[in-house]
Amino acid sequence: MNFHVMTLFPEMIENAMEVSITGRAMKAGHITLNAVNIRDYAQNKHNRVDDYPYGGGAGMVMQAEPVYRCYQELVKKCRKDSGVRVIYLSPKGTVFSQSMAQEYAKEEDLIFLCGHYEGIDERVLEEIVTDYVSIGDYVLTGGELPALVLMDAVSRLVPGVLNNAESACTESFSENLLEYPQYTRPEEWNGKKVPSVLLSGNHKLLAEWYRRQSVLETARRRPDLLEKAELSEEEKKLILDCV
Ligand code: SAM
């Protein structure tokens, strides 16, 4: 997976991606990162990339031309000549989800466009953007944190990035359920014991416990997810009993 990021703050992207699991994944060659400064594509003496909005109003707007020139350079570095997804991080976009992360993880290249100030001239968005993605119903100062959120979630789904290939498929949102509660040593902490089934070593009992706890956890915390989950009659009854 090759991530390309158009941003005014490439160091913000690089610094965050270089640590922990994504950093290791880059070193191992499972993902690559190419964060490019849109300012390098400005064509004026002071490298300005923003200007006042037509019609007035608060703040500044990023100009179309530097963004377009930056995109034209980036797209040359992608494997495909056309059809590369260009994701504009925007509060107006579709709210990001695990299923979108799974879809993006199938791509070879992804281009992210991070806005700043009041946003970006609409004309270049019309020209290059394929996907509008938001990370939630609130407004941030720039698209860098949202781009990092997407790259982190997508990276975890790229083969080889996680040590234990299983961990991504038993996690929250797979099968529209939340993950079961987790415990580690010591066996007793603050008077609370680890559920005894987890010490049993009985795989059948463990699998049943994980599934049951996932269903209950989802019913308690995110009942909206259950509408799309495939549940047995017994599990439906379990939910009715717990609410
Ligand atoms: N004026 C814009 C509006 O009201 O929709 C908000 C612009 S915001 C201050 C600057 C940039 O931050 C946006 O262009 C976008 O790239 C990014 N951004 C802000 N909030 C975001 C969110 N919730 N999800 C994704 N990107 C966001």
Side-chain angles (χ1 to χ4, degrees), residues 21 28 31 53 55-56 61 124 138 152 157 163 180 186 195-196 216 218 240:
I21 295 176
I31 58 174
V61 175
V124 70
Y138 40 80
D152 190 293
L157 303 174
N163 286 333
Y180 48 80
S196 57
L216 287 173
T218 314
L240 286 178

Side-chain angles (χ1 to χ4, degrees), residues 18-158:
E18 272 163 17
V19 295
S20 184
I21 295 176
T22 46
R24 231 175 37 217
M26 284 201 280
K27 283 199 188 103
H30 298 304
I31 58 174
T32 69
L33 175 67
N34 176 28
V36 179
N37 196 335
I38 298 168
R39 208 174 286 286
D40 293 344
Y41 295 87
Q43 287 174 299
N44 54 69
K45 216 166 64 190
H46 302 290
N47 287 345
R48 272 195 74 166
V49 292
D50 59 311
D51 212 328
Y52 294 99
Y54 277 117
M60 304 297 274
V61 175
M62 285 170 69
Q63 292 173 299
E65 186 60 16
V67 172
Y68 192 57
R69 281 162 38 88
C70 179
Y71 162 78
Q72 283 177 315
E73 277 307 305
L74 270 190
V75 90
K76 285 184 201 157
K77 300 202 168 87
C78 296
R79 300 262 168 90
K80 285 197 275 184
D81 296 341
S82 62
V84 179
R85 283 179 114 141
V86 180
I87 302 168
Y88 176 45
L89 289 314
S90 165
K92 299 179 191 172
T94 309
V95 177
F96 188 53
S97 65
Q98 187 68 10
S99 59
M100 287 161 77
Q102 277 156 355
E103 201 189 312
Y104 290 145
K106 293 179 196 152
E107 302 285 335
E108 245 178 301
D109 292 275
L110 287 173
I111 299 180
F112 295 95
L113 172 57
C114 305
H116 230 81
Y117 316 119
E118 284 311 309
I120 302 179
D121 189 309
E122 190 68 19
R123 291 166 294 183
V124 70
L125 300 178
E126 287 168 6
E127 204 66 30
I128 68 172
V129 173
T130 59
D131 301 38
Y132 282 63
V133 180
S134 163
I135 61 160
D137 292 345
Y138 40 80
V139 179
L140 299 164
T141 53
E144 286 73 18
L145 288 172
L148 286 164
V149 166
L150 266 68
M151 286 190 286
D152 190 293
V154 171
S155 296
R156 307 179 80 255
L157 303 174
V158 171

